[in-house]
Structures are given as structure tokens and as C-alpha cells.
Amino acid sequence: MGMCVAVDHLFDYDDFRKFLQDYFEEQKKMRAVFSHRFFAAKAGFSSSSYCLNVIRGRFNLTPKSIEKIAKAMDFAPLQRAYFEALVQYNQAHQVDERENAWEQIVQIRKQIEFTHLSNREQEYFSKWYYPVVREAAVNSDWKGDFTVLARTVEPQITTDEARDAVNNLENWGLIRKVDDTHYEETAQMLDATGVAPIALRQIRREYMQHAIGAVESMPKSERFAAFTTLAMSESSYDYAVEVLEEARKKIITRAANDLNVERVYEMMLVAFPMSKKMEKEAEK
């Protein structure tokens, strides 16, 4: 049996008490056996009227009771995170607590929208080698032999992974078969800006791991790495970001017009703080 409508629409609610009320009303209509007592027993609450008192605003939910409700309602991880944020948002006494909870709610809602909106992009960035295979498949002469294609990728992937990647890329409309041994790209670039940050977390982490491997094992002539510790103001940092972004755009433009592709590269430009903000003594 599928999940009930109220649970399916959890992400539309901004009041967890209203959500619980709708859930109970719907369950009563669907199942004669359902009652507050029935749910309390399922969730492991000692009082059969506990949820009723929560709905009416007499009690607040504790982390323990959130856990019990999430289990009894069989929430998926994202639903549970949303429900927790919702409870925090509705029960918060401090303004900043409330604002933090709302920020979480907004982020999770964005994620849900992106899952529906850009499933193709979501899938494309789910494995580190999909973008690499896409470039290798259209730029190398692998003659339709998936083992050859798999060996082109570094670190090497399996023949099955290469075959699945090409099939998926074709199904997503990101590459097109020209003849039995040749493929072409359907669009020059695919943008990750439409994908929820959480969906990109894993692939970014994997690229970072590959970067460590490359720095440690590849000859300097084949890879570039520069490490510089700088002390500067926030405006100098903003300038650094501007310069790096400008350089990145120039390189992307050149690569997009390069007619003599020889290898696939991953380029990362990272700058991040390694200290807290330093308090300066006020001028006398």
C-alpha cells in the first residue's frame, strides 16, 4: 500500500500540528481500526491522548517523541529531516532558532523541487565517471569497444560501468549515436547549478579524492596543483574569487573551442578560510 496523502504532502506544510491533524483524520477515514490509541501503541507512547494534546497545542514534541512519530509514520530520511525542522520552527522561542529552522525547511523544499525538475542532471552527477565517460565517448576512437573505453578512464572503471554509462547518457539525451562506433555530444556543456547541493556532495568528495591521488602519484608535467596560505581582508578574498572565476571562464571557452582533444581533465579551484575572523583592537 502506498503512503497516505498527508505524508506525501508533508513538504507543503509549515505547521506540524496541522500536518498531524490531517494525518489522523485521513487515517480514520481509510482504516476503521485507526485511532489515537492505535497510533500511540504503534509509536510506543504510554499515553493514548499524547498526540491529541500535541495537535491541540497543549504539549510540545521532544526529540524522543519526534523519533517515535517518524518511525511509526515510516518517514524517508528527507521527510524525517523536514519534520524535525518543522517542529523546531513551530516550537522555537528564539528568533535565530526559528530562522535556522526555516532555512532548513527552504533547503529541503528546494531539494524536493530539483528531484522532480532535473532528474537527468541529478542522475548525471550521481557518479564521478559519467561526465568523464561523456567526454571520452565522443572524443576518443574506442571503436564501440566498451573495454577500451573503460581503460581510457583514469582511475579505470569496469567494462559494465562504461557500457551502463554510455546507455544512460544516450537515454538522457546527452550523447547521440552517429554510427556503430561513433558518438557525438548533444550540447557543449551541462550545468550543475540546477542540482541540489546535497546531490553533488558525493561526486565532489570523489573528485577531491582523485585530486589527492593525482597530486601524490602523477608526474608534475601532467597535473597542476598550487597550494598557497594567504592572510588577507575579505575584500581581497572577493578579488581573488573574481580573478579565479574569470580565469575559469576563459579556460572553459578555450576548451569548448578546442578541436584537438587529447585527454579529459577535472579542474578544481578552491579557496576557503583556515582561521576564524580576527578581531582588531579599536583605533584609539
Side-chain angles (χ1 to χ4, degrees), residues 60-79:
N60 274 350
L61 284 181
T62 63
K64 197 101 188 114
S65 50
I66 291 172
E67 204 175 304
K68 287 179 176 178
I69 287 173
K71 226 172 186 162
M73 289 194 183
D74 200 22
F75 281 156
L78 210 54
Q79 288 174 317

Side-chain angles (χ1 to χ4, degrees), residues 74-88:
D74 200 22
F75 281 156
L78 210 54
Q79 288 174 317
R80 184 187 165 140
Y82 186 87
F83 186 72
E84 280 176 7
L86 207 53
V87 173
Q88 201 186 337

Side-chain angles (χ1 to χ4, degrees), residues 47-65:
S47 161
S48 62
S49 60
Y50 178 74
C51 284
L52 192 61
N53 282 315
V54 168
I55 288 168
R56 288 177 179 164
R58 291 184 192 139
F59 296 160
N60 274 350
L61 284 181
T62 63
K64 197 101 188 114
S65 50

